[in-house]
Structure formats: C-alpha cells, structure tokens
Amino acid sequence: MLKSWDDSLPLMRPLSVFYVENDRLHFLYKKIGKGTELLSLLLKGDNIELLGPLGNGFPVKEVSGKIALIGGGIGIFPLLETAKENKNNMVISLILGMQNF
C-alpha cells in the first residue's frame, strides 16, 4: 500500500511490486483516479508511506516441477519477481491476458 499525500485523501493505494533492484522497489501502475494521479506527480526524492507486505503472496519455496503463472492486465507485473524466485528448477509457463492500449 502506497501513500504520498496529506490526510485530505487518507486512502492508501494497493500496488504490487513490479521489480526489485538492490535496495529499491519499483512499482508500475496505470493512472486511473485521484490517488494514482497524485502518485504520478511524485519527483525523485519525494517521500511516500509504504505499508506491507500484505496478502499471502506466492508459495514459491514450496513448489517444484511444472507451474503456470497466470495474470491479466496490470496483474501480470508481480509475476516477474515470482519467476525470478525460481529456486527449485521449476518449469514455468506464463499465461497472460491484456487489452490493447
């Protein structure tokens, strides 16, 4: 969950991590409403609030063999980090769905 504005808009925005690089997290999102519009106005060095990780995640360490990673739209982006966690010699098939932009 990310937030980067004052308490006049108290809701945080749920975003998945797209890419992890050293000590940096990268997020990819589509600007749809007021919250993601405000996030799009951030500049390098601006502060954000981060709450997480939340949810169940993917049990990558418990899985081996052939698996399918399935996602659609902006839900495909967290699959990159999941695929990178391939420690058990998994054979990964990606099944992706998206609309034309």
PDB file of all heavy atoms in Angstrom, residues 1-18:
ATOM      1  N   MET A   1       0.853  -1.166   0.000  1.00  0.00           N
ATOM      2  CA  MET A   1       0.000   0.000   0.000  1.00  0.00           C
ATOM      3  C   MET A   1       0.903   1.235   0.000  1.00  0.00           C
ATOM      4  O   MET A   1       1.835   1.314   0.792  1.00  0.00           O
ATOM      5  CB  MET A   1      -0.884   0.006   1.242  1.00  0.00           C
ATOM      6  CG  MET A   1      -1.794  -1.213   1.408  1.00  0.00           C
ATOM      7  SD  MET A   1      -3.146  -1.248   0.263  1.00  0.00           S
ATOM      8  CE  MET A   1      -4.245  -0.072   0.965  1.00  0.00           C
ATOM      9  N   LEU A   2       0.618   2.170  -0.891  1.00  0.00           N
ATOM     10  CA  LEU A   2       1.417   3.386  -1.006  1.00  0.00           C
ATOM     11  C   LEU A   2       0.555   4.621  -0.789  1.00  0.00           C
ATOM     12  O   LEU A   2      -0.603   4.668  -1.187  1.00  0.00           O
ATOM     13  CB  LEU A   2       2.046   3.500  -2.393  1.00  0.00           C
ATOM     14  CG  LEU A   2       3.086   2.473  -2.781  1.00  0.00           C
ATOM     15  CD1 LEU A   2       3.588   2.751  -4.190  1.00  0.00           C
ATOM     16  CD2 LEU A   2       4.227   2.458  -1.807  1.00  0.00           C
ATOM     17  N   LYS A   3       1.178   5.626  -0.188  1.00  0.00           N
ATOM     18  CA  LYS A   3       0.522   6.915   0.017  1.00  0.00           C
ATOM     19  C   LYS A   3       1.596   7.993   0.000  1.00  0.00           C
ATOM     20  O   LYS A   3       2.666   7.807   0.559  1.00  0.00           O
ATOM     21  CB  LYS A   3      -0.220   6.931   1.351  1.00  0.00           C
ATOM     22  CG  LYS A   3      -0.930   8.231   1.644  1.00  0.00           C
ATOM     23  CD  LYS A   3      -1.632   8.162   2.985  1.00  0.00           C
ATOM     24  CE  LYS A   3      -2.170   9.514   3.358  1.00  0.00           C
ATOM     25  NZ  LYS A   3      -2.738   9.524   4.695  1.00  0.00           N
ATOM     26  N   SER A   4       1.284   9.118  -0.628  1.00  0.00           N
ATOM     27  CA  SER A   4       2.281  10.187  -0.688  1.00  0.00           C
ATOM     28  C   SER A   4       1.664  11.571  -0.583  1.00  0.00           C
ATOM     29  O   SER A   4       2.178  12.524  -1.119  1.00  0.00           O
ATOM     30  CB  SER A   4       3.045  10.092  -2.002  1.00  0.00           C
ATOM     31  OG  SER A   4       2.171  10.352  -3.078  1.00  0.00           O
ATOM     32  N   TRP A   5       0.554  11.685   0.096  1.00  0.00           N
ATOM     33  CA  TRP A   5      -0.098  12.973   0.186  1.00  0.00           C
ATOM     34  C   TRP A   5      -0.595  13.196   1.603  1.00  0.00           C
ATOM     35  O   TRP A   5      -0.506  12.323   2.442  1.00  0.00           O
ATOM     36  CB  TRP A   5      -1.242  13.070  -0.822  1.00  0.00           C
ATOM     37  CG  TRP A   5      -2.140  11.865  -0.783  1.00  0.00           C
ATOM     38  CD1 TRP A   5      -3.198  11.661   0.058  1.00  0.00           C
ATOM     39  CD2 TRP A   5      -2.037  10.686  -1.567  1.00  0.00           C
ATOM     40  NE1 TRP A   5      -3.753  10.439  -0.170  1.00  0.00           N
ATOM     41  CE2 TRP A   5      -3.066   9.814  -1.161  1.00  0.00           C
ATOM     42  CE3 TRP A   5      -1.179  10.279  -2.586  1.00  0.00           C
ATOM     43  CZ2 TRP A   5      -3.263   8.573  -1.725  1.00  0.00           C
ATOM     44  CZ3 TRP A   5      -1.374   9.022  -3.144  1.00  0.00           C
ATOM     45  CH2 TRP A   5      -2.409   8.199  -2.714  1.00  0.00           C
ATOM     46  N   ASP A   6      -1.159  14.371   1.822  1.00  0.00           N
ATOM     47  CA  ASP A   6      -1.627  14.701   3.169  1.00  0.00           C
ATOM     48  C   ASP A   6      -2.911  13.942   3.499  1.00  0.00           C
ATOM     49  O   ASP A   6      -3.440  13.200   2.695  1.00  0.00           O
ATOM     50  CB  ASP A   6      -1.818  16.214   3.317  1.00  0.00           C
ATOM     51  CG  ASP A   6      -2.876  16.767   2.370  1.00  0.00           C
ATOM     52  OD1 ASP A   6      -3.899  16.094   2.141  1.00  0.00           O
ATOM     53  OD2 ASP A   6      -2.674  17.875   1.860  1.00  0.00           O
ATOM     54  N   ASP A   7      -3.411  14.156   4.693  1.00  0.00           N
ATOM     55  CA  ASP A   7      -4.572  13.406   5.174  1.00  0.00           C
ATOM     56  C   ASP A   7      -5.899  13.839   4.555  1.00  0.00           C
ATOM     57  O   ASP A   7      -6.943  13.307   4.907  1.00  0.00           O
ATOM     58  CB  ASP A   7      -4.645  13.482   6.696  1.00  0.00           C
ATOM     59  CG  ASP A   7      -3.537  12.663   7.341  1.00  0.00           C
ATOM     60  OD1 ASP A   7      -3.097  11.689   6.708  1.00  0.00           O
ATOM     61  OD2 ASP A   7      -3.131  13.002   8.461  1.00  0.00           O
ATOM     62  N   SER A   8      -5.877  14.792   3.628  1.00  0.00           N
ATOM     63  CA  SER A   8      -7.129  15.156   2.960  1.00  0.00           C
ATOM     64  C   SER A   8      -7.605  14.021   2.055  1.00  0.00           C
ATOM     65  O   SER A   8      -8.782  13.915   1.755  1.00  0.00           O
ATOM     66  CB  SER A   8      -6.954  16.448   2.149  1.00  0.00           C
ATOM     67  OG  SER A   8      -6.029  16.243   1.090  1.00  0.00           O
ATOM     68  N   LEU A   9      -6.697  13.182   1.616  1.00  0.00           N
ATOM     69  CA  LEU A   9      -7.025  11.960   0.868  1.00  0.00           C
ATOM     70  C   LEU A   9      -6.388  10.798   1.623  1.00  0.00           C
ATOM     71  O   LEU A   9      -5.279  10.378   1.317  1.00  0.00           O
ATOM     72  CB  LEU A   9      -6.484  12.025  -0.564  1.00  0.00           C
ATOM     73  CG  LEU A   9      -7.181  12.983  -1.507  1.00  0.00           C
ATOM     74  CD1 LEU A   9      -6.395  13.138  -2.793  1.00  0.00           C
ATOM     75  CD2 LEU A   9      -8.591  12.497  -1.809  1.00  0.00           C
ATOM     76  N   PRO A  10      -7.071  10.264   2.648  1.00  0.00           N
ATOM     77  CA  PRO A  10      -6.430   9.309   3.551  1.00  0.00           C
ATOM     78  C   PRO A  10      -6.213   7.904   2.996  1.00  0.00           C
ATOM     79  O   PRO A  10      -5.470   7.144   3.577  1.00  0.00           O
ATOM     80  CB  PRO A  10      -7.395   9.265   4.738  1.00  0.00           C
ATOM     81  CG  PRO A  10      -8.719   9.601   4.146  1.00  0.00           C
ATOM     82  CD  PRO A  10      -8.438  10.580   3.040  1.00  0.00           C
ATOM     83  N   LEU A  11      -6.846   7.542   1.902  1.00  0.00           N
ATOM     84  CA  LEU A  11      -6.724   6.163   1.426  1.00  0.00           C
ATOM     85  C   LEU A  11      -5.368   5.894   0.792  1.00  0.00           C
ATOM     86  O   LEU A  11      -4.872   6.669  -0.018  1.00  0.00           O
ATOM     87  CB  LEU A  11      -7.822   5.853   0.409  1.00  0.00           C
ATOM     88  CG  LEU A  11      -9.249   5.849   0.947  1.00  0.00           C
ATOM     89  CD1 LEU A  11     -10.222   5.581  -0.189  1.00  0.00           C
ATOM     90  CD2 LEU A  11      -9.422   4.819   2.036  1.00  0.00           C
ATOM     91  N   MET A  12      -4.802   4.761   1.146  1.00  0.00           N
ATOM     92  CA  MET A  12      -3.574   4.311   0.505  1.00  0.00           C
ATOM     93  C   MET A  12      -3.963   3.548  -0.756  1.00  0.00           C
ATOM     94  O   MET A  12      -5.099   3.083  -0.893  1.00  0.00           O
ATOM     95  CB  MET A  12      -2.774   3.408   1.446  1.00  0.00           C
ATOM     96  CG  MET A  12      -2.337   4.110   2.720  1.00  0.00           C
ATOM     97  SD  MET A  12      -1.350   3.051   3.779  1.00  0.00           S
ATOM     98  CE  MET A  12       0.277   3.490   3.204  1.00  0.00           C
ATOM     99  N   ARG A  13      -3.058   3.406  -1.681  1.00  0.00           N
ATOM    100  CA  ARG A  13      -3.322   2.709  -2.931  1.00  0.00           C
ATOM    101  C   ARG A  13      -2.613   1.355  -2.932  1.00  0.00           C
ATOM    102  O   ARG A  13      -1.418   1.289  -2.674  1.00  0.00           O
ATOM    103  CB  ARG A  13      -2.845   3.539  -4.129  1.00  0.00           C
ATOM    104  CG  ARG A  13      -3.588   4.852  -4.289  1.00  0.00           C
ATOM    105  CD  ARG A  13      -5.074   4.585  -4.538  1.00  0.00           C
ATOM    106  NE  ARG A  13      -5.860   5.781  -4.656  1.00  0.00           N
ATOM    107  CZ  ARG A  13      -6.669   6.238  -3.724  1.00  0.00           C
ATOM    108  NH1 ARG A  13      -6.774   5.631  -2.572  1.00  0.00           N
ATOM    109  NH2 ARG A  13      -7.399   7.310  -3.917  1.00  0.00           N
ATOM    110  N   PRO A  14      -3.358   0.278  -3.216  1.00  0.00           N
ATOM    111  CA  PRO A  14      -2.731  -1.045  -3.262  1.00  0.00           C
ATOM    112  C   PRO A  14      -1.986  -1.242  -4.579  1.00  0.00           C
ATOM    113  O   PRO A  14      -2.581  -1.209  -5.654  1.00  0.00           O
ATOM    114  CB  PRO A  14      -3.920  -2.006  -3.152  1.00  0.00           C
ATOM    115  CG  PRO A  14      -5.058  -1.245  -3.740  1.00  0.00           C
ATOM    116  CD  PRO A  14      -4.799   0.206  -3.437  1.00  0.00           C
ATOM    117  N   LEU A  15      -0.681  -1.389  -4.504  1.00  0.00           N
ATOM    118  CA  LEU A  15       0.135  -1.606  -5.691  1.00  0.00           C
ATOM    119  C   LEU A  15       1.044  -2.798  -5.448  1.00  0.00           C
ATOM    120  O   LEU A  15       1.569  -2.980  -4.356  1.00  0.00           O
ATOM    121  CB  LEU A  15       0.984  -0.369  -6.006  1.00  0.00           C
ATOM    122  CG  LEU A  15       0.236   0.912  -6.340  1.00  0.00           C
ATOM    123  CD1 LEU A  15       1.217   2.059  -6.519  1.00  0.00           C
ATOM    124  CD2 LEU A  15      -0.597   0.749  -7.589  1.00  0.00           C
ATOM    125  N   SER A  16       1.259  -3.574  -6.478  1.00  0.00           N
ATOM    126  CA  SER A  16       2.173  -4.708  -6.384  1.00  0.00           C
ATOM    127  C   SER A  16       3.572  -4.282  -6.789  1.00  0.00           C
ATOM    128  O   SER A  16       3.753  -3.406  -7.640  1.00  0.00           O
ATOM    129  CB  SER A  16       1.711  -5.839  -7.307  1.00  0.00           C
ATOM    130  OG  SER A  16       0.473  -6.341  -6.886  1.00  0.00           O
ATOM    131  N   VAL A  17       4.552  -4.925  -6.201  1.00  0.00           N
ATOM    132  CA  VAL A  17       5.936  -4.669  -6.578  1.00  0.00           C
ATOM    133  C   VAL A  17       6.167  -5.253  -7.962  1.00  0.00           C
ATOM    134  O   VAL A  17       5.881  -6.412  -8.226  1.00  0.00           O
ATOM    135  CB  VAL A  17       6.913  -5.302  -5.560  1.00  0.00           C
ATOM    136  CG1 VAL A  17       8.350  -5.160  -6.027  1.00  0.00           C
ATOM    137  CG2 VAL A  17       6.734  -4.664  -4.192  1.00  0.00           C
ATOM    138  N   PHE A  18       6.685  -4.430  -8.858  1.00  0.00           N
ATOM    139  CA  PHE A  18       6.972  -4.853 -10.227  1.00  0.00           C
ATOM    140  C   PHE A  18       8.385  -5.415 -10.333  1.00  0.00           C
ATOM    141  O   PHE A  18       8.625  -6.418 -10.988  1.00  0.00           O
ATOM    142  CB  PHE A  18       6.783  -3.665 -11.171  1.00  0.00           C
ATOM    143  CG  PHE A  18       7.390  -3.845 -12.535  1.00  0.00           C
ATOM    144  CD1 PHE A  18       6.984  -4.881 -13.354  1.00  0.00           C
ATOM    145  CD2 PHE A  18       8.345  -2.967 -12.999  1.00  0.00           C
ATOM    146  CE1 PHE A  18       7.535  -5.045 -14.611  1.00  0.00           C
ATOM    147  CE2 PHE A  18       8.892  -3.119 -14.255  1.00  0.00           C
ATOM    148  CZ  PHE A  18       8.483  -4.160 -15.062  1.00  0.00           C
TER     149      PHE A  18
END
